Amino acid sequence: MPETNTANTRQITHAEAIREALEQAMAEDERVILIGEGVPDPKGIFGTTSGLKERFGASRVFDMPIAENGMTGICIGAAISGLRPVMVHQRIDFTLLCMDQLVNNAAKWRYMFAGQVSVPLVVRAIVGRGWGQGPQHAQSLQGLFAHVPGLKVVMPSSGHDAKGMLLAAIRDDNPVIFIEHRWLHGIADDVPTQPYTVPLDKAAIRRHGKDATVVAFSFMVVETLLAATALAELGIELEVIDARAVRPLDIATVIGSVKNSGVLIVIDTAWKTGGIAGELVASVTETVFGSLRRPPLRIALPDIPAPTSHHLSKDYYPDALHVARAIVSHLNAAVPDTELVSRLYRTTPHDVPQREFRGPF
């Protein structure tokens, strides 16, 4: 399977790219099985599993009972026995029910048995927001999984990366937590038709700039690119890095950028306290403290549970305008707020994705 290849590309959505990756992985390797609550139902996990049961049959694509911990143990056993399971959770919140299996078994098995036994398991977990999701259906828990040695954790933000990283995750001999933001599912991107892989440990520079290095995770890449485009019109050039991987973090790419800009800003979809943004700031500060011209800045969720209320959630999630305002303040830039508002004020309700960004990346 080749690394990233841009031949024969066309625009498809993030969800379609994930579905295509699953279909190609299952066609290539009969050891790949797909399991999860709602996987074979008409909605097909936001369309990412639609039609796969019809093509590959009920012995390889199947629903599961509401028994996350037990079913995760079964998937780990299947992986140890030679299969390559892809387990799907419609919300990352449900993975909390199988933390014992993931942390105490999947993550440690290879280490405990001196590399003689591998656990080639992929756990797809969906994060993101929207009306009525609330505190038990909208959490962004990548930092929790990234804390555990033995787990790889990725958060692709484009359809191209989603397909390539999912294929790479399925082929990987280690357990991989593959986190999708559902607001990305509808964004189109240039995606090659053929199978390809994208490394699970490399960040990508989405925009070059000299005034600050901005590292964003998952859907916050979209909000950051919107903010960066507006700020460029006002004379501020941001270097935007799509982190792509949460564990391992690609510290080298970030350090290379910070050495040029002297400013580090990290934007996460999760809470600020104990999050992966803090880990990235610490790693960069330990390495190139002397290159920083001002203290690093973290932009993340406020430290309260995600609200269900329409009115409370309005100011809970940082959007492009929030990001731009924070960056302007951090850089002490002389940019009138009216200029930011005129370019970045949302034209859609706050609980649905903005129309301004439809890809490609």
Side-chain angles (χ1 to χ4, degrees), residues 25-236:
M26 298 187 76
E28 292 169 353
D29 189 344
E30 63 181 11
R31 297 174 299 171
V32 179
I33 59 173
L34 181 60
I35 180 172
E37 294 160 18
V39 161
D41 78 15
K43 292 183 179 178
I45 314 290
F46 302 97
T48 61
T49 61
S50 300
L52 296 179
K53 180 183 177 183
E54 288 73 14
R55 174 167 180 189
F56 297 103
S59 64
R60 295 182 64 194
V61 180
F62 36 89
D63 212 333
M64 73 176 203
I66 302 176
E68 282 81 358
N69 200 40
M71 294 307 298
T72 303
I74 290 172
C75 286
I76 293 170
I80 292 172
S81 301
L83 297 180
R84 291 185 174 270
V86 178
M87 189 177 191
V88 190
H89 294 285
Q90 296 194 33
R91 300 287 187 275
I92 200 171
D93 314 74
F94 306 157
T95 62
L96 296 176
L97 297 166
C98 47
M99 289 298 279
D100 176 53
Q101 293 290 359
L102 292 174
V103 175
N104 282 328
N105 292 317
K108 297 176 173 61
W109 219 250
R110 192 167 191 172
Y111 175 80
M112 290 167 60
F113 293 94
Q116 299 179 63
V117 180
S118 59
V119 185
L121 167 69
V122 176
V123 177
R124 286 180 53 204
I126 298 173
V127 302
R129 60 191 195 258
W131 183 88
Q133 294 304 312
Q136 296 173 324
H137 296 82
Q139 298 173 90
S140 202
L141 302 173
Q142 58 269 20
L144 209 60
F145 292 107
H147 183 65
V148 181
L151 295 179
K152 294 183 179 181
V153 184
V154 299
M155 297 184 83
S157 69
S158 69
H160 176 278
D161 288 352
K163 177 178 174 179
M165 295 180 83
L166 183 52
L167 283 168
I170 293 171
R171 293 169 63 88
D172 199 290
D173 286 335
N174 300 287
V176 179
I177 310 298
F178 187 92
I179 301 176
E180 307 157 27
H181 194 295
R182 60 180 175 274
W183 276 22
L184 292 169
H185 278 156
I187 295 178
D189 190 24
D190 295 325
V191 179
T193 56
Q194 73 277 16
Y196 62 94
T197 59
V198 172
L200 301 177
D201 58 355
K202 298 295 182 186
I205 298 177
R206 300 298 185 193
R207 183 186 182 100
H208 291 280
K210 59 179 177 50
D211 295 320
T213 297
V214 185
V215 185
F217 290 85
S218 188
F219 184 74
M220 292 315 294
V221 175
V222 172
E223 301 285 14
T224 303
L225 288 172
L226 288 170
T229 300
L231 290 175
E233 297 171 354
L234 301 168
I236 299 173

Side-chain angles (χ1 to χ4, degrees), residues 10 19 118 144 232 244-245 287 342:
R10 77 289 196 219
R19 186 200 170 282
S118 59
L144 209 60
R244 297 204 290 192
T287 310
S342 67

